[in-house]
């Protein structure tokens, strides 16, 4: 936790037992801050999390890389905190980039369409493309969690193409952009 004080002197004035945030400046881009998330963001600590993001904003850090390798869970309240803060950071020319999302957290992002709202990178190399504004990065959409348009069964598409629903046997088409039709 001492490393946080080197970035923002009073960052640790509040803490939460279920969520640990560790800060680190990017070595190559001085305006980028890495926030390592450990634990869970839920109804009980979403306000705390939002307060910590506001502190980053107040200190002029607008480009944030959320390192989520140890983030176990995000509730709807936690996702709401990300969305509210994201809008504020965008107004200052900032961005959020998420890396190392656990499969179950990534699935939640995909189910709710947040993979289209946020920059999700598989690793720091891809995150750097987002941060530099490089158009070479194509947002990863597969594997994609979808619902059958006929019976609403949750399905997983690992690539684009035509698939048969295991429940109702309807043929479903998934485009390269992740759009579902039948």
């Amino acid at each position: 936790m001492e490393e946080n004080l080197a970035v923002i002197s009073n960052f640790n004035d509040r803490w939460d037992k279920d969520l640990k945030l560790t800060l680190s400046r990017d070595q190559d881009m001085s305006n980028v801050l890495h926030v390592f998330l450990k634990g869970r963001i839920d109804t009980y600590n979403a306000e705390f999390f939002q307060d910590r993001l506001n502190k980053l904003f107040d200190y002029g850090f607008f480009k944030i890389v959320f390192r989520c390798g140890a983030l176990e869970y995000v509730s709807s309240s936690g996702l709401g905190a990300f969305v509210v803060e994201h809008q504020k950071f965008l107004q200052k020319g900032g961005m959020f980039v998420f890396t190392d999302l656990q499969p179950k957290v990534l699935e939640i992002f995909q189910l709710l369409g947040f993979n289209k709202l946020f920059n999700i990178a598989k690793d720091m190399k891809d995150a750097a493309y987002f941060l530099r504004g490089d158009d070479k990065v194509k947002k990863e959409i597969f594997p994609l969690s979808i619902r059958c348009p006929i019976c609403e069964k949750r399905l997983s598409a690992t690539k684009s193409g035509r698939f048969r629903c295991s429940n109702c046997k309807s043929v479903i088409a998934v485009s390269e952009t992740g759009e579902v039709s039948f």
Side-chain angles (χ1 to χ4, degrees), residues 5-164:
L5 300 178
V7 178
I8 298 176
S9 61
N10 60 348
F11 190 78
N12 295 337
D13 61 352
R14 286 188 64 201
W15 57 275
D16 183 84
K17 66 180 178 71
D18 293 325
L19 177 64
K20 180 181 178 190
L21 290 87
T22 305
L23 309 178
S24 174
R25 290 182 189 260
D26 192 273
Q27 294 178 354
D28 298 325
M29 295 174 269
S30 61
N31 63 341
V32 174
L33 186 68
H34 296 258
V35 177
F36 293 83
L37 300 173
K38 182 177 181 180
R40 45 191 303 119
I41 305 172
D42 56 26
T43 304
Y44 303 105
N45 63 13
E47 180 187 328
F48 160 78
F49 178 64
Q50 214 167 336
D51 178 67
R52 298 297 86 189
L53 291 181
N54 283 325
K55 191 166 280 287
L56 301 179
F57 185 87
D58 292 344
Y59 273 79
F61 292 105
F62 304 123
K63 292 186 177 183
I64 309 295
V65 178
F66 291 104
R67 308 289 291 271
C68 302
L71 182 64
E72 301 164 3
Y73 175 77
V74 180
S75 73
S76 58
S77 297
L79 291 169
F82 278 120
V83 171
V84 167
E85 294 304 314
H86 183 248
Q87 295 303 316
K88 186 166 63 170
F89 280 70
L90 282 177
Q91 291 173 356
K92 289 287 191 175
M95 71 171 56
F96 287 174
V97 179
F98 294 82
T99 65
D100 308 318
L101 285 167
Q102 297 290 328
K104 60 185 173 184
V105 175
L106 177 60
E107 182 180 10
I108 292 169
F109 273 65
Q110 290 174 334
L111 282 172
L112 298 174
F114 288 162
N115 56 323
K116 292 176 177 60
L117 175 65
F118 296 123
N119 297 310
I120 299 176
K122 62 182 177 199
D123 55 31
M124 279 310 301
K125 182 179 176 185
D126 282 350
Y129 286 122
F130 285 119
L131 294 165
R132 291 187 182 106
D134 195 333
D135 292 337
K136 293 179 186 172
V137 172
K138 179 181 164 187
K139 288 190 180 183
E140 299 251 346
I141 57 172
F142 293 102
L144 178 65
S145 184
I146 60 173
R147 291 203 181 268
C148 173
I150 304 299
C151 70
E152 297 290 315
K153 177 170 176 60
R154 186 183 304 178
L155 306 167
S156 180
T158 57
K159 61 182 181 176
S160 62
R162 299 175 75 76
F163 305 93
R164 187 170 301 276

